[in-house]
Amino acid sequence: MGGVDGGHHPEPGSGRFVASVLIVLVLVALALAHRGYDPANPRPALTAPVSLGDTPDFRAIPDPDTRKQRFFDYLTPAAAGVNAEVSERRERLDSIAQAHRRGELSRADRNWLSEMARRYRVDAADTGERIAALEPRVDVVPGALVIAQAAIESGWGTSHFAREGNNLFGEWCFEEGCGIVPRSRSAGASHEVRRFPSVLHSIRSYVRNLNSHPAYAELRTRRARARANGSSPGALELAGGLEQYSERGTAYVEEVRLVIRANDLDQVYAAATRDD
């Protein structure tokens, strides 16, 4: 599902990989500090899954309600950390848009725009058009939607791909050896289920996928419409833009919405990430 190559990620053991993990640690720590997280007095529900091999064995939790709660507790700070990174990019994009209107764009700003255009699959060469194309893409994905899709795609963290590849969203890749070959792969098919070095990498790739791939243009349109109306984009509304995430189409959308409603994920996520 969601069979899109989410982009290159450092391989475990490389210098870039180690540097990436260190950056993740810093960014998530800053994001949690901004939300009132005190490392000297941590709340168990906000322990960020930033280190490799840190994933709980959800299969070993027999009670479904307990398993769900552990899954929420595990993913919430990671989703919040990734959204904090996206929010920082959005703030910079807004600042650059203002500078462009004043005719004061720096070379560093232009270089950053070029990098963001590559990251978010924007083809526009004109600066104004590039900024306009990035605005609906550089935006957060509601935490409730992140958790609901992760729950569905990973079987609440119990799937083979989640356990062996840190892949919570069923993302595919198409280079030999890039992931795990599905046992049920059709003859002649070449895709693999992408392997990630950490859960945070999986969430980053998923958010980037929704924010950049043409298949999810409707989700981005719904989010931009909400922004234009002065409201925060809601998980239930944005789920309507996920018909192409699964071959099940509208039935998949309704399953995502059911998981959000049945588990009150909007409130769960808001309570876990609110400022104290």
Side-chain angles (χ1 to χ4, degrees):
M1 294 183 182
V4 176
D5 184 342
H8 173 74
H9 295 282
E11 293 297 330
S14 70
R16 285 189 299 166
F17 174 73
V18 174
S20 296
V21 171
L22 291 174
I23 291 170
V24 166
L25 288 167
V26 172
L27 287 172
V28 173
L30 290 173
L32 294 175
H34 175 70
R35 297 176 185 277
Y37 180 76
D38 179 7
N41 185 27
R43 293 169 288 185
L46 288 179
T47 302
V50 295
S51 60
L52 304 183
D54 193 30
T55 309
D57 183 2
F58 293 107
R59 291 186 306 169
I61 305 173
D63 179 65
D65 291 336
T66 303
R67 187 187 309 122
K68 285 183 180 181
Q69 187 60 55
R70 287 289 305 279
F71 192 78
F72 299 152
D73 293 346
Y74 181 69
L75 281 194
T76 293
V82 172
N83 271 331
E85 294 170 0
V86 176
S87 292
E88 288 181 4
R89 291 193 199 107
R90 185 171 179 83
E91 289 175 4
R92 180 164 185 183
L93 181 63
D94 288 343
S95 176
I96 287 175
Q98 295 174 25
H100 176 63
R101 286 192 289 270
R102 297 192 303 267
E104 299 174 355
L105 214 58
S106 68
R107 175 171 295 186
D109 289 337
R110 295 183 187 278
N111 290 340
W112 186 84
L113 282 175
S114 295
E115 170 60 21
M116 291 302 103
R118 183 197 63 78
R119 176 186 293 269
Y120 290 97
R121 304 188 189 197
V122 169
D123 294 330
D126 176 79
T127 299
E129 293 178 0
R130 181 172 285 181
I131 291 171
L134 283 169
E135 284 176 344
R137 298 182 182 227
V138 184
D139 205 345
V140 299
V141 174
L145 187 61
V146 177
I147 295 171
Q149 281 202 267
I152 292 169
E153 298 296 335
S154 73
W156 299 94
T158 64
S159 75
H160 172 65
F161 304 121
R163 291 181 288 108
E164 299 298 326
N166 291 309
N167 189 331
L168 299 183
F169 302 95
E171 286 194 61
W172 292 0
C173 55
F174 298 91
E175 296 179 6
E176 185 176 356
C178 63
I180 302 169
V181 177
R183 296 188 184 98
S184 59
R185 188 173 72 177
S186 302
S190 61
H191 71 275
E192 300 180 13
V193 178
R194 191 171 191 81
R195 189 188 299 273
F196 293 100
S198 75
V199 165
L200 275 171
H201 284 79
S202 178
I203 297 175
R204 277 201 187 98
S205 181
Y206 156 82
V207 170
R208 179 178 176 179
N209 188 15
L210 295 191
N211 280 340
S212 62
H213 198 275
Y216 311 116
E218 172 62 21
L219 180 146
R220 297 190 293 272
T221 297
R222 288 169 178 251
R223 185 173 59 190
R225 186 185 305 129
R227 293 285 191 196
N229 292 334
S231 60
S232 297
L236 292 172
E237 171 63 16
L238 266 58
L242 293 174
E243 285 195 11
Q244 295 191 54
Y245 203 93
S246 166
E247 293 178 353
R248 296 169 54 214
T250 57
Y252 179 78
V253 168
E254 290 310 310
E255 182 180 6
V256 172
R257 286 173 168 163
L258 177 62
V259 170
I260 293 170
R261 292 192 185 101
N263 296 283
D264 202 15
L265 288 185
D266 280 314
Q267 294 302 316
V268 168
Y269 184 81
T273 58
R274 67 172 178 264
D275 292 330
D276 290 336

